[in-house]
Amino acid sequence: MSKIYDVIILGAGPAGLTAGLYAGRARLSTLILEKGQDGGQIAITDEIENYPGQIVEGESGASLIARMTEQAKKFGAERASDVIKSVDLSGEVKKLTGAQGEYLAKTVIIATGAFPKPIGCKNESKFIGKGISFCATCDASFFEDFEVYVVGGGDSAVEEAMYLTKFARKVTIIHRRNELRAAKSIQEKAFQNPKLHFLWDTVVEEVCGDELMDAMVVKNVKTGELTRIEADPDDGIFGLFGFIGYNPNSQLFEGTVEMDRGYIVTDPDMHTSLPGVFAAGDIRVKSLRQVVTACADGAIAAMQAEKYLSEHK
Ligand code: NAP
C-alpha cells in the first residue's frame, strides 16, 4: 500500500514550495507533486522587483525558485514529478491518482497556480512557437534584432516588453485601452525606454502566414478600423507575445471544492470547502496575485494543515 503522507502539496510554485518548507519544518511527512518544472510562472519571469529582499543583482525568477526548492528539500519535503489525473479528496485519507501512480495523504494543499490566457485572435494556435509566445524569458533570444509586439497593459506585459527590448530592435505594446494597468513605477520606466512603442485602443484580430507568422490584422476598438501589419521583408517574421492575464489550473477540482470562476474559494486561513483540503497562491480567489502573497498563503496553509492533523489524530 502507498505511504500515507501527512500532507501532499500539488504544485511547486512559490506557494507550494513555501508550504513544503513550512510543513517540513513542522516535521510533517510532506510530498510536493509537480507535473513540470518548479516555479510555475515565476520560473519564466526575468525580474521580480517587488519580492522583499529581492534586490540581488542578476537574480531571476528561476534562481529565486531554485533557492526555494533547495530550502524545502533541506527541511525534508519530498518531491515527485507526475501528472495528476483524478482526485478523491472527500475522505479522511485523500487520494490523488497520477500517470505514474497513486498518492495518499491526510491533508492536501492545492497550489496549482494559473496559466497564460490566449490572445484570442484568429489562427492563434497555428502560430504558437512560430511567432507567438507567452514567455519572454524562454523566447526573447529568437527575436534578436527583430520586431516584436506585446499584447496587454498590466505589470506582466510592460515588464516583459521591457525585457524584450534587450533583444528586439523595436517592441510595440498593443493595448485595448489608452492607458496602462501596470504599476506607476513600471510605467515610468517603460515610457522612458526608447525602444518601446505603444499601439493604444487596439486588439489583434488575426495572425497570418504560411509556415511562420509574417502578418497580423489589428483593430482599433474605438473606430473599428482594421490595419494589416506585415513583417519586414528582410526578417520574414515578427514576434507576438501575449501577457493578458491567467486562467486557473483548477479543472481537476471541479465539483469537489467550492470555486468562483475557476478560482478556489478559501477562508483567510486557506481552508477550502472540504475538511483537510487547503488552497494557496494564484489558484485561490484573492485580490493580489504576487510571489509574496503566494508564499504567505503557502505558509498559512501548511500551518493550518498541521493544526488539522493535530486535531484529527
Ligand atoms: P493583469 O494585471 O490582469 O493585466 C492583464 C492585462 O491584459 C490588462 O491590461 C488587460 O486590459 C489586458 N487584457 C485582459 N484580457 C484581454 C484581452 N482579451 N484582450 C486584450 N487585452 C486583455 O495581468 P498580469 O499583468 O499578468 O498580472 C497578474 C498579477 O501579477 C497582477 O496582480 C500583477 O500585479 C502581478 N505581477 C507583478 C509583477 C511584478 O510586480 N514584477 C510582474 C508580473 C505580474 P485592461 O487593463 O483593459 O483590463
Side-chain angles (χ1 to χ4, degrees), residues 117-135:
K117 275 188 192 165
I119 294 165
C121 59
K122 199 172 158 201
N123 296 334
E124 180 168 1
S125 54
K126 180 177 166 194
F127 292 109
I128 292 173
K130 294 173 179 168
I132 294 182
S133 169
F134 299 92
C135 175

Side-chain angles (χ1 to χ4, degrees), residues 11-90:
L17 292 171
T18 308
L21 165 66
Y22 274 71
R25 289 188 75 240
R27 301 283 181 265
L28 304 181
S29 61
T30 304
L31 175 67
I32 303 174
L33 276 170
E34 166 62 54
K35 67 175 182 337
Q37 62 173 350
D38 285 7
Q41 292 165 53
I42 291 307
I44 55 169
T45 302
D46 180 52
E47 199 184 333
I48 300 161
E49 66 172 17
N50 55 0
Y51 186 65
Q54 175 77 349
I55 51 170
V56 183
E57 195 62 37
E59 177 90 295
S60 65
S63 58
L64 177 66
I65 278 298
R67 288 195 280 119
M68 287 188 190
T69 301
E70 199 49 44
Q71 203 176 3
K73 223 190 270 173
K74 181 178 155 193
F75 287 100
E78 293 174 36
R79 165 79 166 71
S81 294
D82 203 350
V83 181
I84 300 303
K85 306 276 192 197
S86 66
V87 294
D88 180 357
L89 304 177
S90 54

Side-chain angles (χ1 to χ4, degrees), residues 51-292:
Y51 186 65
Q54 175 77 349
I55 51 170
V56 183
E57 195 62 37
E59 177 90 295
S60 65
S63 58
L64 177 66
I65 278 298
R67 288 195 280 119
M68 287 188 190
T69 301
E70 199 49 44
Q71 203 176 3
K73 223 190 270 173
K74 181 178 155 193
F75 287 100
E78 293 174 36
R79 165 79 166 71
S81 294
D82 203 350
V83 181
I84 300 303
K85 306 276 192 197
S86 66
V87 294
D88 180 357
L89 304 177
S90 54
E92 271 183 32
V93 174
K94 325 287 181 198
K95 188 162 95 178
L96 295 89
T97 308
Q100 315 286 334
E102 194 175 271
Y103 308 89
L104 303 176
K106 295 174 198 160
T107 65
V108 168
I109 298 174
I110 303 168
T112 46
F115 62 91
K117 275 188 192 165
I119 294 165
C121 59
K122 199 172 158 201
N123 296 334
E124 180 168 1
S125 54
K126 180 177 166 194
F127 292 109
I128 292 173
K130 294 173 179 168
I132 294 182
S133 169
F134 299 92
C135 175
T137 316
C138 319
D139 297 332
S141 59
F142 296 130
F143 296 99
E144 183 92 51
D145 210 28
F146 284 71
E147 282 195 39
V148 159
Y149 296 81
V150 167
V151 181
D155 288 347
S156 299
V158 180
E159 285 209 330
E160 300 305 312
M162 282 194 288
Y163 175 72
L164 285 161
T165 62
K166 296 180 195 171
F167 299 82
R169 65 170 182 270
K170 181 181 174 191
V171 177
T172 305
I173 290 184
I174 300 174
H175 185 35
R176 65 181 178 181
R177 293 188 293 133
N178 63 0
E179 62 176 357
L180 298 172
R181 176 185 292 279
K184 289 285 178 284
S185 64
I186 296 176
Q187 291 195 29
E188 281 161 17
K189 281 192 205 164
F191 290 134
Q192 283 168 12
N193 187 323
K195 278 175 132 186
L196 205 52
H197 303 259
F198 297 87
L199 208 47
W200 302 111
D201 298 314
T202 301
V203 294
V204 180
E205 286 280 288
E206 181 179 354
V207 285
C208 323
D210 290 327
E211 271 306 296
L212 297 175
M213 187 180 72
D214 58 14
M216 68 178 160
V217 178
V218 298
K219 181 169 103 180
N220 182 303
V221 292
K222 286 199 171 144
T223 63
E225 188 189 351
L226 296 174
T227 306
R228 187 176 167 92
I229 296 175
E230 308 260 359
D232 184 309
D234 288 340
D235 296 341
I237 188 174
F238 58 87
L240 180 63
F241 286 76
F243 299 107
I244 61 168
Y246 296 90
N247 284 322
N249 274 321
S250 62
Q251 295 84 341
L252 198 53
F253 310 102
E254 266 165 26
T256 63
V257 289
E258 188 189 343
M259 292 193 202
D260 180 4
R261 279 163 286 182
Y263 290 92
I264 296 175
V265 175
T266 68
D267 71 4
D269 278 336
M270 312 303 144
H271 297 97
T272 68
S273 55
L274 272 184
V277 180
F278 306 84
D282 287 3
I283 190 67
R284 73 182 193 92
V285 174
K286 62 197 294 191
S287 61
L288 184 64
R289 293 190 172 83
Q290 296 277 288
V291 179
V292 70

